[in-house]
């Protein structure tokens, strides 16, 4: 499943990127989403061991964040037994001195159960894109 999101910030790209590069910001955003994230690797290729409660069971997954093109592109990856996701975020300068972040996410199922869940998620694509927009906003907020 592919999802897209765009978020404009009123601050310059360098300031927005500074927040995205900070591993503590990722951990804070995950905590706000009720996800435990324990850092396992430091920048420039920060990684985390994560866990979320789903159907009354802890679901573990790995997360990573790397800047693939200096001051232009970052990739956030999530890997679990059920599915994988990759979010590519491109950062652009706006004429008013702000910054636009365009996120493109790809979610791939690994199991039959996950494939069925993705099929139902396609019906509510807007909700998934809203969550991606909120993730980008929370990562880049001041």
């Amino acid at each position: 499943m592919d999802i897209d999101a765009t978020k404009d910030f009123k601050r310059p790209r360098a300031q927005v990127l500074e927040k995205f590069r900070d591993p503590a910001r990722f951990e804070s955003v995950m905590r706000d989403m009720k996800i435990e994230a324990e850092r396992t690797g430091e920048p420039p290729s920060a990684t985390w061991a994560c866990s979320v409660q789903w159907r009354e069971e802890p679901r573990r997954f790995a997360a990573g964040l790397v800047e693939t093109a200096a001051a232009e592109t970052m990739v956030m990856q999530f890997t679990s037994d059920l599915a994988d996701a990759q979010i590519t975020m491109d950062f652009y300068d706006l004429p008013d001195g702000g910054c636009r972040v365009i996120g493109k996410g790809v979610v791939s199922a690994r199991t039959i159960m996950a494939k069925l869940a993705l099929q139902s998620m396609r019906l509510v694509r807007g909700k998934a894109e809203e969550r991606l927009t909120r993730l980008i906003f929370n990562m880049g907020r001041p």
Side-chain angles (χ1 to χ4, degrees):
M1 179 173 81
D2 298 338
I3 55 173
D4 302 305
T6 300
K7 181 64 184 160
D8 291 348
F9 293 92
K10 294 181 180 179
R11 297 183 338 278
R13 179 176 11 171
Q15 291 177 359
V16 174
L17 277 164
E18 178 183 332
K19 295 300 180 182
F20 273 82
R21 289 176 181 134
D22 182 5
R25 173 56 60 101
F26 178 88
E27 293 156 9
S28 171
V29 169
M30 291 297 108
R31 225 179 358 262
D32 292 345
M33 296 171 69
K34 309 289 188 249
I35 297 171
E36 296 176 26
E38 182 180 334
R39 198 174 318 167
T40 57
E42 296 295 329
S45 295
T47 56
W48 294 267
C50 302
S51 179
V52 62
Q53 285 293 119
W54 186 57
R55 295 189 177 179
E56 299 182 29
E57 288 185 39
R59 304 291 180 166
R60 301 195 190 297
F61 62 95
L65 182 62
V66 64
E67 193 166 347
T68 57
E72 289 182 11
T73 305
M74 296 185 90
V75 175
M76 191 178 291
Q77 294 183 315
F78 300 94
T79 304
S80 75
D81 293 339
L82 299 175
D84 295 329
Q86 179 172 305
I87 302 167
T88 302
M89 296 167 289
D90 294 310
F91 297 78
Y92 299 95
D93 292 322
L94 294 173
D96 64 357
C99 172
R100 174 170 288 160
V101 180
I102 299 175
K104 296 189 181 293
V106 178
V107 181
S108 305
R110 291 178 158 216
T111 66
I112 297 294
M113 185 173 105
K115 286 179 184 179
L116 292 172
L118 280 179
Q119 286 296 336
S120 66
M121 281 181 62
R122 283 188 176 94
L123 300 174
V124 290
R125 178 182 304 277
K127 188 171 184 175
E129 289 179 339
E130 179 184 307
R131 286 186 180 195
L132 178 56
T133 301
R134 199 167 51 234
L135 173 70
I136 291 170
F137 169 76
N138 287 332
M139 287 292 294
R141 74 180 187 268

